[in-house]
Amino acid sequence: MTEKVILVDHLISEIKKGTFQSNKKLPSEHVLADQFKVPRMVVRKAYEQLQDLGYIYSRQGKGSYVQDSKKQIPLILSGDVSFTEKMKELHFPFQTITIFCEEIPFDKKIFQNLNVGSDEKVFKIGRLRLIDELPIALHTSFVAQSIFPEIEKDGPGITSMFLYYKQRGFVEFGSNSSTLNVIFPTPTEREILQCSNLVPLLQVESECVDKNSGQVLENTVIIYRSDYFTYVI
Amino acid sequence: MTEKVILVDHLISEIKKGTFQSNKKLPSEHVLADQFKVPRMVVRKAYEQLQDLGYIYSRQGKGSYVQDSKKQIPLILSGDVSFTEKMKELHFPFQTITIFCEEIPFDKKIFQNLNVGSDEKVFKIGRLRLIDELPIALHTSFVAQSIFPEIEKDGPGITSMFLYYKQRGFVEFGSNSSTLNVIFPTPTEREILQCSNLVPLLQVESECVDKNSGQVLENTVIIYRSDYFTYVI
DNA sequence: CCAATGTATCTTGTTGCCAAGTGAACGTAC
DNA sequence: GTACGTTCACTTGGCAACAAGATACATTGG
């Protein structure tokens, strides 16, 4: 176990240093095993973990190669500016796709936060954020039909929730305290964000509030790929 | 690969559900392999990943057991209240140990932040935060000798940096924007925090500023074990 | 009866061998 | 010369057999 960990540490450091950048090809398992005087299985395990972590990929018969390194995106984590605006400011080739808009079954926490009864309809709207065509965050909004009656019909076409709210008479927005969590992706999230299972995600839960009335407009859960973002609070 | 991931997902969900809580013993590799109709090696790989993630541990000849689950600690992430005070409020059996106080070689970024020249002495003071005797965060303060001349001598005995600063005439503190990152532990950090290599850490970098003079008192890097904390900002 | 020792059968851990994919070098037919 | 097929060397992937630790139980000797 400890041998594998040492190897993984070493290889990550070498990858970050750019040692293999020339042809991007890592030493073969056999060669590395001889170099470090460990059984090949130890190298295999190390390489497998690096695959799970998204650092490398292996092809049978060819070899193992380092994954293209990702650009680091500084992200201002404050609730009163829309994600779209934040990205536009930074001049990233940014894109949003709405990937789902569906009613959710009763969930105590969400319904309580939105201040609606268990018999009312609440929709979850999922918007995928892409930079350079790569998915980097999933923005899920929970919205009550009682506040936005047309949400079921409008949902799929919304690109900016803030804009949608403004068009319906809400002027200024705020957010109460946000909760941060570091999680690993579920199978669904892995597919949506196209990441491997050991890429940590930063999960931010918050509420969007109308500053005038104090009414909670939506319950928001955003998951960011932590390998793409640096957060500034 | 995909079979392993499915198994890992399933097992984590079962562990969180508490399915194995009765005797804490997981099914043997052979049994689970038969149940899921996969080779034993697949189960082995899944169990190994669960070990790396800190969910289980295995003993040769005995079996695999679920690791005791950790309590979740809500943490307010704001710079103007000391860590000690935050914990005291929550009534956790909390403890701080200073584990190092040593001069650091010149580092452009840190020295610039502290606003000191390359020939001056800067010390790093590491304080380990424990709850129930378990290390949960490492608090590293970078302090310039030019501001606190006795820091080398005083360092090892300091339990609260805030208290130390107050005793030296600084009254009110603030912090500028903090930077958040999700990282995996280095070998040193693993040893200090007693965690496995796949436990994500939340790294928070900030500066502590004297509100009166605007002078930067210290440069702070805190790493929190993400499996213990829920963060509130 | 009791304690020590062997044994069978569980468990996880390790290793060595072969399968399978790839591509370059080489030979051969045309 | 060129096109094609064969071989070979090298890669990662997978598996079955074995090693080693733990434990319960039977056996044995006093």
Side-chain angles (χ1 to χ4, degrees):
Chain A
M1 174 64 78
T2 171
E3 278 179 335
K4 181 189 78 172
V5 175
I6 290 170
L7 251 184
V8 169
D9 284 338
H10 175 260
L11 288 167
I12 288 179
S13 124
E14 292 293 308
I15 289 168
K16 285 188 175 167
K17 235 190 282 175
T19 310
F20 312 113
Q21 215 169 22
S22 54
N23 53 359
K24 304 203 320 171
K25 194 172 186 307
L26 292 156
S28 81
E29 296 172 354
H30 178 69
V31 168
L32 205 63
D34 281 3
Q35 270 182 27
F36 281 78
K37 304 207 172 64
V38 293
R40 184 167 79 98
M41 281 310 291
V42 172
V43 179
R44 273 193 69 71
K45 284 181 187 173
Y47 274 16
E48 268 173 37
Q49 186 153 111
L50 289 175
Q51 279 192 69
D52 287 337
L53 288 167
Y55 283 104
I56 70 170
Y57 62 92
S58 300
R59 292 283 169 271
Q60 185 175 167
K62 297 191 72 176
S64 300
Y65 302 83
V66 312
Q67 203 67 267
D68 285 328
S69 66
K70 297 121 188 174
K71 61 174 74 175
Q72 276 295 316
I73 302 163
L75 172 67
I76 312 296
L77 274 189
S78 59
D80 48 356
V81 178
S82 89
F83 193 95
T84 314
E85 285 174 47
K86 289 175 196 167
M87 287 299 114
K88 288 239 173 90
E89 279 171 26
L90 297 164
H91 298 104
F92 282 114
F94 172 73
Q95 199 185 347
T96 293
I97 305 172
T98 303
I99 52 173
F100 55 77
C101 172
E102 55 200 43
E103 193 185 342
I104 59 162
F106 176 68
D107 179 288
K108 195 181 170 188
K109 198 182 133 204
I110 294 172
F111 278 59
Q112 221 165 42
N113 280 344
L114 288 172
N115 206 18
V116 298
S118 63
D119 54 334
E120 293 188 56
K121 282 190 176 185
V122 171
F123 287 83
K124 71 169 176 183
I125 300 169
R127 295 184 321 290
L128 190 60
R129 316 295 199 175
L130 304 102
I131 288 178
D132 285 332
E133 319 279 316
L134 289 171
I136 44 95
L138 175 63
H139 195 123
T140 306
S141 300
F142 295 92
V143 181
Q145 200 175 40
S146 59
I147 306 175
F148 300 97
E150 304 293 319
I151 190 65
E152 182 164 17
K153 182 168 62 67
D154 296 339
I158 301 174
T159 47
S160 166
M161 298 302 288
F162 280 82
L163 195 61
Y164 184 75
Y165 299 151
K166 273 184 187 164
Q167 287 165 354
R168 268 142 201 85
F170 297 98
V171 183
E172 207 180 351
F173 310 111
S175 73
N176 50 7
S177 75
S178 307
T179 305
L180 259 78
N181 263 91
V182 179
I183 60 169
F184 285 108
T186 65
T188 315
E189 289 162 355
R190 277 199 295 274
E191 198 174 342
I192 291 174
L193 293 175
Q194 285 172 35
C195 62
S196 51
N197 58 327
L198 292 187
V199 174
L201 305 178
L202 194 83
Q203 183 190 52
V204 183
E205 289 188 60
S206 65
E207 286 160 23
C208 178
V209 179
D210 174 36
K211 274 196 180 170
N212 271 350
S213 64
Q215 186 175 32
V216 176
L217 299 180
E218 71 165 57
N219 206 323
T220 312
V221 179
I222 316 178
I223 49 176
Y224 301 97
R225 285 188 58 163
S226 73
D227 53 350
Y228 278 117
F229 281 106
T230 293
Y231 312 88
V232 181
I233 57 176
Chain B
M1 174 64 78
T2 170
E3 276 178 337
K4 181 190 77 172
V5 175
I6 291 169
L7 252 184
V8 169
D9 285 336
H10 174 259
L11 288 168
I12 288 179
S13 123
E14 291 293 308
I15 289 169
K16 285 188 175 167
K17 234 189 283 174
T19 310
F20 312 114
Q21 217 170 20
S22 53
N23 52 0
K24 305 202 318 171
K25 194 171 186 308
L26 292 155
S28 81
E29 296 172 354
H30 179 71
V31 168
L32 205 63
D34 281 2
Q35 271 182 26
F36 281 78
K37 301 208 172 67
V38 293
R40 182 168 80 100
M41 284 308 292
V42 172
V43 178
R44 272 194 71 69
K45 284 182 186 174
Y47 275 15
E48 269 174 36
Q49 185 152 114
L50 289 174
Q51 279 192 70
D52 288 337
L53 288 167
Y55 283 104
I56 69 170
Y57 62 92
S58 300
R59 292 281 170 271
Q60 185 176 163
K62 296 193 71 174
S64 300
Y65 303 82
V66 312
Q67 199 72 262
D68 285 327
S69 64
K70 298 122 188 174
K71 62 173 72 174
Q72 278 293 317
I73 302 162
L75 171 68
I76 313 295
L77 273 189
S78 60
D80 48 356
V81 179
S82 89
F83 193 95
T84 313
E85 286 174 47
K86 290 174 195 168
M87 288 299 114
K88 288 239 174 88
E89 279 171 25
L90 296 165
H91 298 104
F92 283 113
F94 171 72
Q95 197 184 349
T96 294
I97 304 173
T98 304
I99 52 173
F100 56 77
C101 172
E102 55 200 43
E103 194 185 342
I104 59 163
F106 176 68
D107 179 287
K108 196 181 169 188
K109 197 181 134 205
I110 294 171
F111 277 59
Q112 220 165 43
N113 280 344
L114 288 173
N115 207 19
V116 298
S118 63
D119 55 333
E120 292 187 56
K121 283 190 173 183
V122 171
F123 288 82
K124 72 168 176 184
I125 300 168
R127 295 186 319 292
L128 189 61
R129 316 295 198 172
L130 304 102
I131 289 178
D132 284 333
E133 320 279 313
L134 289 170
I136 45 95
L138 175 63
H139 196 123
T140 307
S141 301
F142 296 92
V143 180
Q145 199 176 39
S146 59
I147 305 175
F148 299 98
E150 302 294 318
I151 191 66
E152 182 165 16
K153 182 169 61 70
D154 295 339
I158 301 174
T159 46
S160 166
M161 297 303 287
F162 279 82
L163 194 61
Y164 185 73
Y165 299 152
K166 274 183 185 165
Q167 286 164 352
R168 268 142 201 86
F170 298 98
V171 183
E172 208 182 351
F173 310 111
S175 74
N176 51 8
S177 75
S178 307
T179 304
L180 259 78
N181 263 89
V182 178
I183 60 170
F184 285 108
T186 64
T188 314
E189 289 162 356
R190 278 200 294 274
E191 198 175 339
I192 292 174
L193 293 175
Q194 284 172 36
C195 61
S196 51
N197 57 327
L198 292 187
V199 173
L201 305 178
L202 194 82
Q203 182 191 51
V204 183
E205 288 188 61
S206 65
E207 286 158 25
C208 177
V209 180
D210 174 37
K211 273 194 180 171
N212 272 350
S213 64
Q215 185 176 32
V216 176
L217 298 180
E218 72 164 58
N219 206 323
T220 313
V221 179
I222 317 178
I223 49 176
Y224 301 97
R225 286 188 58 162
S226 73
D227 53 350
Y228 278 117
F229 280 107
T230 293
Y231 312 88
V232 180
I233 56 174

